């Protein structure tokens, strides 16, 4: 009986299951083939190393249901595709999308082309339908084109998608006044998001978009509008109060990151439904209006980075009992914590950073607000952080850049759910805090720039299994790098640079296969690069500079698919260089100050953006360049390179810094070097791609970012490596660095060429005067024998010009006085003559820059350019002839010495050229140079 009952139940379950499956189909064949055609197109645009990451689940396997593929959503009863997302792309270059590939998806409702890969989409095309292409997709409602390179050229295509209700265009290249008529037919549009573009100008009307409820651009007279965002554009002028205050249904108003000026709008207090108000990063001034006390529904308020007075009153905020986020207090010059915070019980975020607060951190901020999730206290002068009893909800704590001398005790007990902790830039001393090892949920930890010492405790490296970001840089930690028992399976960023770690790089990171950024530079590490490191397929940045590592560079290191930054400088690596690079296009390679030998492989330079191989033992000639478009910085100083400067070097289209100094290069300077860009062809639009520096916790505080999103705090961060280049300028090595996400630093503006300390001869090409953006030019310590080209007066940006220790002759062109940026000028030890130019920058130069040129006269030297004639008395008339004979004899001495030195120089130069491989050749040429200088100094 029991068996029959069981069988009956089984049959019922089967019948129910079949009923559920009835009417559910897999995707139709027509759309399956269309998806594979779309993938084929995207792969044709992708770089070779990224092909494996292009929609890998979209396969030809007939048993594979395309409705189950990543990025695909189907209507289950019909099997038709209703949602399509392409994911991240890794294109060779920015590419347009062929919209005709989308036509088979007749029922598609949501199309997501947002991508955060390499390059991205930059436009649309359809050779048949043209601008009407998207009209074929009659059910399309949501279109996300964010994080691409789209500009206004896509608007005629978008205007045909009349069924659209949501259009997202954030983080693109929309530049200039917004052509709103380009979207005039999108009358069903409810959400338009154009944040983080380059929109400019004043407010415009969007009155034809009658159904618009959420706008991230501009508006007027849209009474149904609930969400308005103009964030991170270039809208300027006073805030248009008459526009905002009449929109009574507004729930969110986001105007951050513009150039609004003037007083805070008083009438904002009439917006009773307002929940989110973000006026940060503008140029607003004045006090907080009393009308703000009427914003009873307000939950998020941000006024940071404005010109609000440091003593402004916050009393209007006292009665806002629903306020959940306060970031108004950053950069306000506060000397004590405002009292209104005492009355708040529902805060989820408090930001008091970058003020003048001191003393103890108030624990009541934590205990009074049990729902507090984020506490920002960085860049103040707090000295003590007493731990509260227990706070369950705090997830993010930042007290970096204070003066807290002792790390808080029992943090693991007081803050059991803490996920992100930043205690960098304090005065912490002693051993690593053992309590952190008990914090199982910690994912972000930054204790850099302190004075911690000793070994890392076992409880930490084995217990914090959730760590994704670990930065312990600039301390005094010692011992082996990481124990073999280390267990960081989710680690994404590891920065342990500038400590005292010693020994070989062990296997403690073997299970950290997701590692993307690794910095072990400036320690005492020894041995070779471990082989297991090459198995980390996601590695992007590898920095192991200034250690004692040795051995050769394994070819597999340069075959890692995503490697874009490699710094092995300042070690003891040796042997030949790898013959090719299969990593990310535009890789930065720093191999200077090692012991590499042999020639530079031609293929090594393919797709390299920065290549620094200074101070090695490389030999042979400068190779021809496989890819002349990508390289920006080429530094080969201090090697044993021979031969002439190849003419192929003249094809470097985007070069910024070129250093070939301290080698054995000979021959003439190619006149075609004037073709080098040094910023001319780019017109500053093609910026050097310098990654931003490793930022500390960067919080994107987006509570209630949109009423269409989930109510939560979004946390994001950026962690990159600062790039620093040392280049000889102004007679010293200056460091030029590119940094931050928004500013590339001085390196972007630095253009220089150094050919000094070689065996170059012949004339200085006049064409070099056409390198208009050059800031430093060094041709010193060669055998150049021409005059100084007057065309150098065109080098308007030149700051340092060194022509010393050559055989230049003639006068110094007076046109050079027009170079108002010239700070360093050196023509010492040449054969120049005539009057030294005066005026502007030349009035500031000292005499030593002209030494070794006995025929130069005038200030700042003591030699006069005028012939002095004293009156002759009758009794001295008989002696006059003798004096004239003496002067003639002196002139003849000058003539004889000049003639003899020229003859000897030419003779010995020919001899040296004939014996190119003689070991004494370079020394002999230097001797000749010294001989000529001594001869010139003998001349009165």
């Amino acid at each position: 009986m029991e068996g029959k009952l069981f069988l009956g139940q089984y049959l019922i379950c089967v019948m129910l299951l079949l009923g559920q499956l009835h009417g559910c189909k897999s995707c139709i064949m027509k759309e399956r083939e269309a998806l594979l055609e779309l993938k084929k197109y995207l792969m044709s645009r992708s770089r070779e190393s990224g092909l494996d990451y292009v929609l890998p689940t979209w396969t030809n396997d007939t048993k594979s249901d395309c409705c189950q593929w990543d990025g695909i959503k189907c209507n289950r009863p019909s099997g038709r595709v209703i949602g399509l997302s392409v994911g991240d792309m890794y294109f060779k270059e920015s590419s347009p999308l062929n919209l005709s590939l989308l036509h088979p998806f007749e029922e598609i409702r949501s199309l997501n082309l947002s991508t955060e890969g390499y390059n991205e989409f930059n436009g649309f095309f359809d050779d048949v339908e043209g601008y009407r292409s998207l009209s074929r997709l009659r059910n399309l409602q949501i279109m996300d084109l964010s994080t691409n390179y789209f500009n206004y050229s896509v608007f005629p295509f978008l205007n045909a998608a009349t069924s659209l209700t949501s259009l997202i265009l954030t983080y693109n290249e929309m530049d200039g006044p917004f052509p709103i008529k380009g979207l005039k037919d999108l009358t069903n549009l409810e959400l338009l998001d154009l944040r983080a573009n380059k929109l400019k100008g004043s407010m415009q009307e969007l009155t034809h978009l009658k159904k618009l409820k959420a706008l991230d651009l501009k508006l007027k007279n849209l009474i149904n509008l609930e969400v308005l965002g103009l964030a991170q554009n270039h809208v300027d002028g006073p805030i248009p109060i008459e526009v905002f205050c009449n929109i009574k249904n507004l729930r969110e108003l986001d105007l951050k990151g513009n150039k609004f000026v003037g007083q805070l709008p008083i009438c904002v207090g009439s917006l009773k439904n307002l929940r989110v108000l973000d006026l940060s990063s503008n140029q607003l001034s004045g006090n907080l209006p009393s009308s703000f006390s009427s914003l009873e529904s307000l939950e998020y308020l941000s006024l940071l980075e404005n010109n609000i007075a440091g003593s402004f009153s916050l009393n209007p905020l006292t009665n806002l009992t629903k306020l959940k986020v306060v970031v108004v207090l950053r950069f306000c010059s506060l000397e004590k914590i405002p009292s209104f915070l005492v009355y708040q019980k529902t805060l989820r975020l408090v930001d008091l950073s970058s003020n003048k607060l001191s003393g103890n951190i108030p624990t009541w901020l934590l205990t009074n607000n049990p729902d507090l999730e984020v506490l920002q206290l960085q860049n103040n002068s707090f000295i003590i952080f007493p731990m509260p009893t227990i706070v369950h909800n705090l997830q993010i704590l930042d007290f970096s850049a204070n003066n807290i001398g002792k790390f808080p005790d029992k943090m693991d007990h007081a803050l059991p759910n803490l996920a992100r902790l930043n205690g960098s830039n304090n005065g912490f001393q002693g051993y690593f805090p053992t309590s952190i090892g008990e914090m199982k949920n910690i994912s972000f930890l930054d204790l850099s720039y302190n004075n911690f010492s000793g070994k890392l405790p076992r409880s930490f490296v084995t217990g914090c299994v959730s760590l994704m970001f670990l930065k312990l840089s600039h301390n005094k930690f010692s011992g082996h790098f990481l124990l073999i028992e280390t267990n960081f399976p989710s680690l994404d960023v590891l920065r342990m640079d500038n400590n005292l770690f010693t020994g070989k790089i062990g296997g403690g990171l073997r299970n950290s296969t997701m590692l993307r950024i690794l910095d072990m530079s400036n320690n005492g590490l020894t041995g070779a690069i471990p082989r297991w490191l090459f198995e980390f397929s996601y590695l992007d940045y590898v920095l192991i500079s200034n250690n004692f590592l040795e051995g050769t560079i394994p070819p597999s290191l340069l075959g890692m698919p995503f490697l874009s930054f490699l710094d092995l400088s300042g070690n003891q690596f040796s042997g030949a260089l790898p013959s090719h690079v299969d990593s990310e296009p535009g890789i930065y390679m720093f191999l200077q100050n090692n012991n590499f030998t042999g020639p530079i492989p031609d293929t090594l330079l393919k797709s390299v953006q920065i290549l620094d191989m200074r101070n090695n033992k490389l030999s042979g000639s400068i190779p021809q360049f496989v890819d002349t478009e990508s390289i920006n910085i080429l530094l080969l100083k201090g090697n044993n390179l021979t031969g002439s400067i190849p003419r192929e070097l003249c094809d470097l289209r985007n070069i910024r810094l070129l250093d070939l100094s301290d080698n054995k290069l000979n021959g003439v300077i190619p006149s075609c070097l004037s073709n080098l860009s040094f910023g001319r062809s780019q017109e500053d639009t093609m910026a050097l791609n310098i990654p931003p520096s490793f930022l500390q916790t960067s919080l994107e505080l987006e509570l209630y970012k949109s009423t269409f999103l989930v109510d939560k705090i979004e946390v994001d961060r950026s962690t990159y490596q600062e790039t620093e280049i040392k280049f000889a300028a102004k007679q010293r090595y200056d460091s030029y660095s590119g940094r931050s996400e928004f500013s590339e630093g001085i390196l972007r503006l630095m253009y220089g060429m150094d050919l000094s300390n070689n065996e170059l001869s012949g004339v200085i090409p006049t064409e070099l005067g056409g390198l208009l953006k050059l800031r430093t030019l060094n041709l010193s310590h060669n055998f150049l024998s021409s005059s100084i080209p007057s065309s150098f007066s065109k080098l308007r940006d030149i700051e340092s010009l060194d022509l010393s220790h050559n055989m230049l002759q003639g006068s110094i062109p007076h046109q050079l006085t027009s170079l108002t940026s010239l700070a360093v000028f050196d023509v010492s030890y040449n054969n120049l003559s005539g009057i030294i130019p005066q005026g502007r920058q030349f009035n500031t130069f000292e005499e030593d820059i002209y030494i070794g040129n006995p025929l130069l006269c005038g200030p700042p030297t003591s030699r006069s350019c005028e012939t002095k004639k004293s009156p002759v008395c009758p009794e001295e008339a008989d002696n006059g002839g003798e004096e004239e004979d003496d002067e003639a004899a002196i002139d003849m001495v000058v003539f004889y010495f000049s003639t003899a030195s020229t003859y000897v120089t030419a003779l010995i130069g020919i001899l040296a050229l004939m014996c190119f491989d003689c070991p004494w050749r370079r020394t002999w040429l230097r001797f000749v140079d010294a001989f000529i200088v001594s001869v010139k100094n003998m001349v009165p």
Side-chain angles (χ1 to χ4, degrees):
M1 185 67 184
E2 292 180 359
K4 292 181 179 181
L5 179 62
F6 174 77
L7 179 61
Q9 292 175 339
Y10 175 78
L11 291 174
I12 292 174
C13 291
V14 171
M15 293 175 64
L16 290 174
L17 179 60
L18 292 174
Q20 291 291 327
L21 292 176
H22 180 69
C24 296
K25 302 178 181 178
S26 62
C27 66
I28 64 176
M29 184 58 64
K30 173 186 174 182
E31 293 187 342
R32 176 192 180 87
E33 293 175 351
L35 289 172
L36 293 177
E37 281 297 314
L38 176 60
K39 177 179 178 178
K40 181 179 178 181
Y41 174 81
L42 296 175
M43 291 186 70
S44 70
R45 302 284 176 150
S46 300
R47 54 186 176 83
E48 185 175 354
S49 60
L51 292 178
D52 293 339
Y53 302 93
V54 178
L55 304 170
T57 62
W58 296 21
T59 68
N60 287 314
D61 184 359
T62 56
K63 296 181 180 179
S64 172
D65 180 5
C66 65
C67 288
Q68 303 299 320
W69 291 353
D70 289 344
I72 301 300
K73 183 179 180 180
C74 293
N75 182 314
R76 297 308 298 176
S78 67
R80 300 299 298 264
V81 173
I82 59 174
L84 192 158
S85 177
V86 299
D88 293 342
M89 293 289 110
Y90 299 92
F91 291 152
K92 303 171 188 174
E93 57 185 3
S94 297
S95 301
L97 175 64
N98 185 355
L99 291 178
S100 66
L101 295 171
L102 303 176
H103 291 169
F105 311 113
E106 298 173 355
E107 295 188 13
I108 192 170
R109 302 174 191 172
S110 174
L111 177 61
N112 186 352
L113 300 179
S114 176
T115 176
E116 296 185 0
Y118 188 84
N119 293 309
E120 281 97 17
F121 296 111
N122 63 1
F124 296 141
F125 75 94
D126 187 332
D127 295 334
V128 178
E129 298 281 346
Y131 289 151
R132 300 297 304 166
S133 184
L134 288 176
S135 65
R136 297 275 296 270
L137 307 181
R138 301 180 185 277
N139 297 302
L140 186 61
Q141 298 178 6
I142 300 172
M143 198 168 184
D144 187 349
L145 307 180
S146 59
T147 321
N148 280 287
Y149 291 113
F150 290 121
N151 54 34
Y152 292 138
S153 66
V154 301
F155 276 33
F157 292 98
L158 298 175
N159 194 47
T162 56
S163 58
L164 277 180
T165 59
S166 299
L167 178 58
I168 303 172
L169 292 167
T170 55
Y171 293 97
N172 275 284
E173 297 295 323
M174 310 292 172
D175 192 354
F178 182 64
I180 190 57
K181 292 182 179 180
L183 302 179
K184 60 184 179 62
D185 295 332
L186 302 186
T187 55
N188 293 310
L189 204 60
E190 298 181 3
L191 168 64
L192 175 59
D193 192 341
L194 280 149
R195 289 171 295 122
N197 280 281
K198 301 176 182 178
L199 307 179
K200 299 176 182 177
S202 57
M203 292 292 177
Q204 300 180 13
E205 296 186 4
L206 292 174
T207 54
H208 59 281
L209 303 181
K210 301 296 184 182
K211 296 184 179 181
L212 200 65
K213 293 184 178 180
L215 170 67
D216 270 354
L217 177 64
K218 310 170 183 179
L219 82 162
K220 189 176 182 180
N221 299 326
L222 298 177
I223 59 175
N224 293 323
L225 198 67
E226 298 178 1
V227 180
L228 170 61
L230 290 168
Q232 297 175 343
N233 282 287
H234 295 279
V235 184
D236 51 19
I239 293 183
I241 298 175
E242 70 283 357
V243 174
F244 301 146
C245 294
N246 292 331
I247 310 174
K248 302 301 182 181
N249 292 327
L250 261 185
R251 287 189 290 169
E252 300 183 23
L253 179 57
D254 187 354
L255 303 177
K256 70 181 176 184
N258 285 284
K259 298 179 181 178
F260 289 121
V261 298
Q263 297 283 326
L264 292 170
I266 298 177
C267 72
V268 172
S270 63
L271 302 177
K272 304 296 184 181
N273 296 320
L274 198 63
R275 295 169 59 195
V276 176
L277 177 59
D278 193 338
L279 302 175
S280 60
S281 300
N282 282 286
Q283 299 172 19
L284 303 174
S285 57
N287 292 323
L288 198 64
S290 58
S291 62
F292 271 51
S293 60
S294 301
L295 300 177
E296 298 176 354
S297 299
L298 195 64
E299 299 177 2
Y300 179 107
L301 173 63
S302 177
L303 298 172
L304 67 91
E305 294 180 349
N306 279 283
N307 295 325
I308 303 172
S311 58
F312 71 96
S313 173
L314 294 172
N315 291 333
L317 302 179
T318 302
N319 296 327
L320 302 184
T321 57
K322 293 184 179 181
L323 198 63
K324 293 186 178 180
V325 178
V326 176
V327 291
V328 66
L329 306 178
R330 189 189 301 180
F331 295 105
C332 294
S333 300
L334 297 175
E335 296 183 0
K336 59 181 181 179
I337 297 176
S339 57
F340 91 94
L341 287 175
V342 177
Y343 303 100
Q344 300 297 325
K345 305 296 183 182
T346 60
L347 292 175
R348 292 179 57 188
L349 182 147
V350 174
D351 189 343
L352 300 173
S353 59
S354 300
N355 282 286
K356 299 179 181 179
L357 303 173
S358 59
N360 293 2
I361 293 176
T363 55
W364 52 260
L365 279 174
L366 297 167
T367 55
N368 285 7
N369 294 277
D371 295 327
L372 190 68
E373 297 178 22
V374 179
L375 179 58
Q376 300 277 97
L377 303 171
Q378 66 268 29
N379 294 303
N380 281 287
S381 299
F382 290 115
I383 58 175
I384 298 177
F385 190 176
M387 277 289 98
T389 52
I390 186 169
V391 179
H392 287 284
N393 291 318
L394 192 68
Q395 298 180 30
I396 300 174
L397 174 61
D398 190 340
F399 52 88
S400 59
N402 278 279
N403 299 316
I404 304 173
K406 186 177 183 297
F407 193 84
D409 293 327
K410 300 181 179 179
M411 183 175 288
D412 57 324
H413 176 73
L415 309 174
N417 295 310
L418 193 66
R420 300 168 66 91
L421 173 63
N422 190 344
S424 61
N425 287 280
N426 276 283
F428 299 137
Q429 298 183 4
Y431 297 122
F432 186 89
T434 56
S435 60
I436 294 180
E438 303 300 324
M439 304 176 74
K440 306 300 182 182
N441 297 318
I442 195 80
S443 63
F444 180 103
L445 177 62
D446 186 352
L447 296 178
S448 60
Y449 293 93
N450 283 292
N451 290 309
F452 286 119
S453 59
K455 299 179 180 180
L456 297 179
R458 187 180 302 273
S459 61
F460 167 64
V461 298
T462 60
C464 295
V465 294
S466 300
L467 266 179
M468 298 177 63
F469 181 103
L470 175 59
K471 184 178 181 183
L472 302 179
S473 311
H474 293 274
N475 279 283
K476 298 177 182 177
F477 291 117
S478 58
H480 288 288
F481 180 62
L482 283 175
L483 298 174
I484 191 65
E485 300 93 339
T486 300
N487 187 22
F488 297 146
S490 303
L491 199 60
D492 177 56
V493 176
L494 177 62
R495 295 208 62 197
M496 309 281 272
D497 56 287
N498 291 278
N499 278 285
L500 303 175
F501 291 113
T502 56
K504 296 182 179 181
I505 302 174
L509 290 175
R510 279 185 179 274
N511 69 339
S512 302
T513 55
M514 304 300 293
L515 194 63
R516 186 173 52 91
I517 296 175
L518 174 62
D519 189 350
M520 301 181 288
S521 55
N522 295 290
N523 280 284
L525 303 175
T526 58
I529 300 176
R531 297 284 175 179
W532 51 261
L533 189 63
F534 314 141
E535 300 173 3
F536 290 12
S537 56
Y538 296 103
L539 267 180
D540 190 357
Y541 292 74
V542 177
L543 300 96
I544 323 179
S545 61
N546 297 306
N547 283 283
F548 301 99
L549 299 175
E550 56 191 9
T552 60
I553 297 181
S556 51
L557 179 61
L558 298 182
M560 305 177 75
F562 294 105
L563 187 64
S564 64
F565 194 107
L566 176 64
D567 189 352
L568 303 180
S569 61
N571 281 285
Q572 298 173 9
F573 291 112
S574 59
L577 294 170
S579 58
H580 63 280
V581 178
D582 293 330
S583 299
E584 191 84 7
I587 186 174
Y588 299 5
M589 290 179 57
F590 298 89
L591 306 177
Q592 71 270 25
N593 300 314
N594 278 287
N595 296 314
F596 294 115
T597 56
I600 303 173
D602 293 354
T603 52
L604 179 64
L605 304 176
K606 183 179 180 181
S607 300
V608 175
Q609 188 174 356
I610 296 179
L611 181 60
D612 190 346
M613 296 191 294
R614 290 173 294 175
N615 302 316
N616 279 283
K617 299 177 181 179
L618 301 172
S619 58
S621 59
I622 299 175
Q624 297 183 4
F625 287 78
V626 177
D627 184 357
T628 59
E629 296 292 335
S630 63
I631 193 160
N632 292 135
I633 296 175
L634 177 61
L635 309 174
L636 302 178
K637 172 186 175 175
N639 283 284
N640 297 314
L641 301 177
T642 56
S644 59
I645 298 176
R647 296 185 64 85
E648 289 78 10
L649 207 64
C650 302
D651 295 328
L652 300 181
R653 304 296 183 190
N654 298 309
I655 196 69
R656 293 173 179 269
L657 297 178
L658 176 63
D659 189 351
L660 306 179
S661 62
D662 289 307
N663 280 286
K664 300 178 181 178
L665 302 175
N666 55 42
V668 300
I669 298 176
S671 60
C672 65
L673 286 180
S674 60
N675 297 332
L676 296 177
S677 59
F678 288 114
R680 287 184 306 170
S681 63
Q682 300 153 13
E683 296 298 333
D684 283 338
T685 60
M686 188 172 182
L688 181 64
N689 183 25
I690 297 300
S693 62
F694 276 104
L695 301 177
Q696 296 174 6
T697 314
S698 174
L699 298 178
E700 192 69 24
L701 306 174
E702 301 287 353
L703 183 66
Y704 301 115
K705 179 57 189 173
S706 167
T707 52
F708 303 104
L709 300 181
V710 178
D711 175 0
K712 66 178 181 180
I713 295 180
E714 298 286 349
V715 179
D716 197 7
R717 57 178 164 76
S718 296
T719 55
Y720 294 89
Q721 171 63 26
E722 177 183 351
T723 302
E724 180 182 66
I725 300 293
K726 292 186 177 180
F727 190 80
K730 303 181 183 179
Q731 294 186 332
R732 66 178 187 272
Y733 267 85
D734 286 345
S735 294
Y736 300 95
S737 61
R739 53 186 308 155
S740 99
E741 293 176 283
F742 309 103
S743 147
E744 290 173 88
I746 193 173
L747 182 55
R748 181 178 180 269
L749 305 175
M750 187 60 196
Y751 306 100
M753 181 165 65
D754 191 344
L755 306 180
S756 63
N757 284 288
N758 279 289
E759 300 168 8
L760 302 173
S761 58
V763 302
I764 299 176
T766 58
E767 292 85 351
L768 295 186
L771 300 174
L772 303 182
K773 290 194 174 183
L774 208 63
R775 291 182 179 268
T776 177
L777 175 61
N778 192 345
L779 304 178
S780 65
H781 292 274
N782 280 289
F783 303 109
L784 303 173
S785 56
S786 64
S787 59
I788 301 175
S790 59
S791 62
F792 277 7
S793 61
K794 300 177 183 178
L795 303 176
R796 300 298 184 184
D797 293 336
I798 198 77
E799 299 176 3
S800 177
L801 178 59
D802 191 347
L803 306 174
S804 63
H805 292 272
N806 279 288
M807 296 183 289
L808 301 177
Q809 53 188 316
S811 61
I812 301 175
H814 67 86
Q815 295 94 332
L816 299 186
T817 58
S818 64
L819 302 177
T820 55
S821 297
L822 191 62
V824 173
F825 179 63
D826 194 346
V827 293
S828 60
Y829 297 103
N830 278 286
N831 196 25
L832 300 172
S833 59
I835 301 175
I836 298 174
Q838 291 296 301
R840 296 181 180 174
Q841 301 299 103
F842 277 75
N843 290 346
T844 66
F845 297 148
E846 301 292 335
E847 182 179 2
D848 58 350
I849 72 167
Y850 303 110
I851 194 172
N853 294 279
L855 300 183
L856 286 177
C857 61
T861 71
S862 58
R863 291 187 293 274
S864 173
C865 296
E866 296 181 1
T867 303
K868 295 183 179 180
K869 295 184 179 180
S870 56
V872 180
C873 299
E875 60 273 15
E876 298 176 353
D878 294 338
N879 298 329
E882 297 179 3
E883 293 179 359
E884 292 177 2
D885 290 341
D886 291 341
E887 292 178 4
I890 292 173
D891 290 341
M892 289 304 295
V893 169
V894 173
F895 172 76
Y896 291 147
F897 271 115
S898 299
T899 302
S901 62
T902 303
Y903 176 77
V904 172
T905 302
L907 181 61
I908 297 177
I910 293 173
L911 179 62
L913 289 173
M914 291 176 63
C915 188
F916 180 81
D917 295 326
C918 296
W920 45 263
R921 177 176 176 272
R922 185 177 179 90
T923 304
W924 184 249
L925 290 174
R926 292 296 178 200
F927 168 75
V928 173
D929 188 28
F931 167 75
I932 294 170
V933 172
S934 63
V935 168
K936 289 188 289 188
N937 289 333
M938 292 173 60
V939 179

